[in-house]
Amino acid sequence: MSSYYEASARERIVGLLDGGSFREILPPGERILSPHLLQLDTPAAFDDGIVVGEGALGGRKVLIAAQEGGFMGGAVGEVHGAKLVGLLERALDQRPAGVLLLVESGGVRLHEANAGLIGVSEIMRAVLKLRGAGIPVIVLDGGQFGCFGGMGIVSRLCDAVIISEEGRLGLSGPEVIETTCGVEEFDSRDRALVWRTVGGKHRYLLGEAAHLVADDIAAFRAQAIAALDLRPDLSLEALEREHAVLGQRLDRFGTCRDGIDIWRNLGIDQPERLPLLEAEAFIAITAGKRA
């Protein structure tokens, strides 16, 4: 087993794709740096915290992007966003079997907020164009920094989210919630609470992640190969059904104070044990009880 959580962005790509097939676009040697960080005398990275390129997955051509949480938490700046948008637009021309987004981001980079916000909006638009063209966009979420802010929204715009227990997904990160609402409302230092709120198991049970896998690059790879054949219903009727389901979820869980309350409401026996289960056992016990 090779841990997805502990791997770098490039290690994840190499482990996911068919051996020797990856070709990086705009590698660090090109030295495409953020102009804003240089002006602020802030350390920059030669790849601006994102790796983009193309390769093969299960013998089928894919385009792939991986955010590097080790550089500024994977935050999106102007160059970072432009590299990702460029890859997505390239997919429209090349029509690969799919696009993989290995997300790990706290959202927009505050040092270049306006440029980052524009970048995220362009990413959203490009993702929707790809989906409209019938090219699946698959998100893999299992990194150390989770996926929040604008990239959290981007992830839910995609065809499917594959997540591990270690993955986290949300609009606002735990620290932001604490700062906004107060530590009495949400203590970001309470790691168990954080995972019960935005962690992979909870997101899977709510239906926001399509698949839960173990923290193993091979497990992510196997699920990503299967996801290339996804063809979700994008009709207006399907969107209206999804909106209705979201409304029902709010009615059903709106008064719950904790993830455990939601799990119990789903009819799961002894929900307190869920955080202790390995992925396979967790999926078996919760089968047929997702929201």
Side-chain angles (χ1 to χ4, degrees):
M1 176 180 290
S2 181
S3 172
Y4 186 99
Y5 181 81
E6 296 178 358
S8 68
R10 286 186 174 77
E11 289 171 341
R12 289 169 187 157
I13 288 177
V14 171
L16 282 166
L17 298 183
D18 298 352
S21 69
F22 178 60
R23 184 181 73 85
E24 185 169 352
I25 301 169
L26 295 178
E30 299 285 342
R31 300 200 173 195
I32 308 298
L33 301 173
S34 164
H36 306 285
L37 296 182
L38 294 176
Q39 289 177 354
L40 296 170
D41 198 24
T42 300
F46 291 151
D47 59 10
D48 208 40
I50 186 168
V51 183
V52 300
E54 59 188 17
L57 180 66
R60 304 166 71 181
K61 180 174 180 177
V62 295
L63 299 191
I64 188 167
Q67 295 177 303
E68 177 53 69
F71 177 68
M72 308 191 84
V76 179
E78 182 175 2
V79 171
H80 186 117
K83 288 177 70 175
L84 183 47
V85 171
L87 183 84
L88 296 170
E89 292 182 346
R90 189 186 188 94
L92 276 175
D93 294 332
Q94 296 189 352
R95 302 194 65 83
V99 177
L100 305 183
L101 301 184
L102 282 56
V103 295
E104 186 174 21
S105 176
V108 169
R109 189 179 298 165
L110 296 182
H111 305 70
E112 40 190 306
N114 290 340
L117 285 170
I118 293 172
V120 168
S121 66
E122 291 176 341
I123 294 167
M124 294 177 185
R125 186 181 302 115
V127 166
L128 294 177
K129 281 184 178 179
L130 276 179
R131 295 192 66 192
I135 302 171
V137 186
I138 312 301
V139 166
L140 282 66
D141 180 1
Q144 298 184 29
F145 291 82
C147 182
F148 299 103
M151 288 306 298
I153 300 174
V154 168
S155 296
R156 292 295 287 125
L157 290 178
C158 296
D159 289 281
V161 175
I162 301 169
I163 198 167
S164 67
E165 178 181 0
E166 288 77 8
R168 284 157 289 151
L169 177 63
L171 181 57
S172 297
E175 290 77 11
V176 175
I177 299 174
E178 179 183 307
T179 301
T180 305
C181 301
V183 68
E184 298 83 5
E185 180 70 20
F186 194 90
D187 186 350
S188 64
R189 296 168 300 178
D190 185 342
R191 308 315 291 172
L193 172 64
V194 169
W195 257 265
R196 291 198 306 271
T197 307
V198 295
K201 286 179 174 174
H202 187 60
R203 292 307 184 194
Y204 172 75
L205 286 177
L206 287 180
E208 294 167 354
H211 305 283
L212 181 76
V213 298
D215 176 34
D216 179 15
I217 292 178
F220 273 99
R221 170 182 160 83
Q223 200 63 66
I225 290 174
L228 292 180
D229 293 319
L230 285 174
R231 294 296 180 270
D233 183 357
L234 301 180
S235 67
L236 177 61
E237 292 74 17
L239 292 176
E240 290 176 342
R241 286 196 299 271
E242 189 168 346
H243 272 277
V245 169
L246 292 174
Q248 293 165 6
R249 182 199 295 179
L250 186 60
D251 293 338
R252 186 176 179 185
F253 305 126
T255 59
C256 292
R257 298 290 300 172
D258 194 290
I260 291 179
D261 298 332
I262 294 176
W263 304 344
R264 184 177 292 108
N265 191 303
L266 289 170
I268 298 170
D269 186 37
Q270 298 180 304
E272 296 84 358
R273 61 181 170 158
L274 293 187
L276 304 177
L277 299 176
E278 298 294 335
E280 187 174 346
F282 175 87
I283 292 170
I285 286 177
T286 60
K289 296 180 179 177
R290 300 170 66 197

